[in-house]
Amino acid sequence: MTPAPVVDVHTHLVPRGWPDLAAACGGEGWPWLRLDSEREAMIMVGEQEFRPVGAQCWDPATRLADMAADAVDVQVVSPTPVFFGYERPAAQAAAMARIFNDLTLECVADAPRLVPFCQVPLQDPDAACAELDRCLAAGHAGVEIGNHVGERDLDDEGVVTFLQHCAHVGAPVFVHPWDMPDGPRLDRWMARWLTGMPAETHLSVLALILGGVFDRVPETLRLCFAHGAGSFPFWLGRADNAWHRRGDLVRGRSERPPSHYTDRFYADSVVFDPAALRLLVDVLGEDRVMVGSDYPYPLGERPVGEVVRRAEFLTAAQRAKILSGNALRFLGQE
């Protein structure tokens, strides 16, 4: 039998250099790239080192070689969240989004197996919709957004307006946690990434449910949460229990309990353990889980899709859905 193709819906890109953002966008303290060699660099925020990156982030040939090694056929390539700029004036964030979105298209232009997702200035729904439309016309296949804009979660009216527009134009949306809380208890052991990211994603799934967003946006909205939807699958029973027992405080604007909405969104498979994957599939269903890796960052999964391939509880048909079938539907290609 021919092996099922593999589509990785969760990977990131960093261009190898960009214009001086202070001059191009206004403001100060923008991210910049310190090039240490032909294949190594450091993302800087002001004078602070943020993250080391390598050629995997900008060189299509390197990405394609890694994809071949992991038997991945297609990568969805999204921005790295540090470049979202949601904390800035909308005009500045829109200017930066335009620069990075155009650089992304240049990077993948000769590599059709790399599917680009754009970024938008989510703090301004009109500007976000306009940039999305421009990017879709230019060749982007969808959009990545952060899971919140400051203190505004995904049930914020402006964000809902943008999600409704995504549903209208048929753009898939990949939601990535970012800007996690910090403090002494979270600044050791990478705890912001190990606990903060799952919690951020969990909170934003609840915002869509309890904030009544899924009752307002069309079912045609294709939405995926990174990192296996965070801690939400494990605590769905707790959310349902609270919805029924303390509806005066918990129900918010939702018409049904949280478990009613698990078929309204996708999640990637970056959970690293077959038992966790089984819970994710049990909660969301076999049609709502897709391979994701968080490539090329060190907390991602390599070889890509390994947890799906070695999960003995999956049937061949279920495995094929998770490896590619669900992703093709998410991307609107099926």
Side-chain angles (χ1 to χ4, degrees):
M1 294 180 61
T2 302
V6 178
V7 179
D8 183 350
V9 300
H10 182 178
T11 81
H12 297 287
L13 173 144
V14 177
R16 192 179 185 273
W18 49 85
D20 175 48
L21 295 177
C25 307
E28 299 177 349
W30 290 97
W32 57 283
L33 197 65
R34 189 187 75 205
L35 295 173
D36 298 327
S37 72
E38 282 296 312
R39 300 185 63 80
E40 296 178 331
M42 177 68 69
I43 299 175
M44 304 289 293
V45 179
E47 296 306 312
Q48 289 284 109
E49 293 184 347
F50 175 75
R51 172 178 291 166
V53 292
Q56 301 95 328
C57 283
W58 60 74
D59 178 41
T62 302
R63 298 180 78 99
L64 291 169
D66 286 346
M67 290 167 63
D70 290 358
V72 172
D73 297 277
V74 174
Q75 277 188 350
V76 174
V77 182
S78 295
T80 294
V82 70
F83 303 113
F84 284 155
Y86 295 164
E87 75 284 359
R88 293 182 174 274
Q92 294 183 10
M96 181 174 68
R98 189 180 188 98
I99 290 169
F100 276 78
N101 290 334
D102 290 349
L103 288 172
T104 295
L105 289 180
E106 290 179 16
C107 183
V108 306
D110 296 324
R113 292 166 58 194
L114 304 180
V115 178
F117 271 30
C118 65
Q119 66 185 70
V120 296
L122 195 59
Q123 63 268 58
D124 182 326
D126 291 337
C129 292
E131 179 61 12
L132 174 64
D133 291 346
R134 187 189 77 88
C135 288
L136 293 176
H140 286 270
V143 60
E144 179 189 57
I145 64 173
N147 72 302
H148 65 104
V149 179
E151 295 303 318
R152 298 154 54 194
D153 216 315
L154 298 184
D155 60 331
D156 174 80
E157 283 302 313
V159 178
V160 173
T161 295
F162 178 73
L163 294 177
Q164 289 171 328
H165 183 72
C166 291
H168 177 69
V169 300
V173 182
F174 186 70
V175 184
H176 198 287
W178 84 298
D179 193 29
M180 294 84 69
D182 58 11
R185 296 175 61 236
L186 290 168
D187 286 343
R188 53 182 184 165
W189 313 318
M190 294 196 74
R192 292 173 67 195
W193 282 261
L194 298 179
T195 66
M197 276 195 165
E200 280 289 333
T201 302
H202 183 173
L203 178 59
S204 293
V205 177
L206 286 178
L208 288 174
I209 294 171
L210 302 179
V213 180
F214 284 135
D215 294 319
R216 299 170 57 195
V217 301
E219 293 188 6
T220 53
L221 177 66
R222 304 194 303 276
L223 187 78
C224 176
F225 281 94
H227 308 134
S231 49
F232 174 81
F234 189 84
W235 290 113
L236 176 58
R238 182 177 178 87
D240 267 6
N241 180 68
W243 193 91
H244 288 291
R245 291 178 177 268
R246 290 306 310 269
D248 55 324
L249 298 176
V250 173
R251 288 184 185 178
R253 300 172 66 182
S254 61
E255 297 176 1
R256 304 286 184 88
S259 58
H260 176 77
Y261 300 93
T262 55
D263 65 349
R264 294 296 304 276
F265 60 93
Y266 297 82
D268 71 25
S269 64
V270 194
V271 294
F272 305 100
D273 183 82
L277 179 66
R278 181 165 197 158
L279 173 66
L280 182 62
V281 172
D282 285 347
V283 170
L284 298 190
E286 63 190 55
D287 294 325
R288 292 288 167 172
V289 180
M290 308 180 288
V291 165
S293 68
D294 211 357
Y295 175 94
Y297 295 132
L299 292 186
E301 182 188 55
R302 294 292 306 274
V304 175
E306 183 69 9
V307 69
V308 175
R309 292 187 178 98
R310 64 187 174 94
E312 296 180 355
F313 70 89
L314 292 173
T315 66
Q318 290 172 325
R319 187 173 286 107
K321 286 182 178 182
I322 295 171
L323 289 174
S324 62
N326 296 339
L328 293 175
R329 190 171 70 254
F330 172 69
L331 294 171
Q333 298 180 8
E334 194 178 77

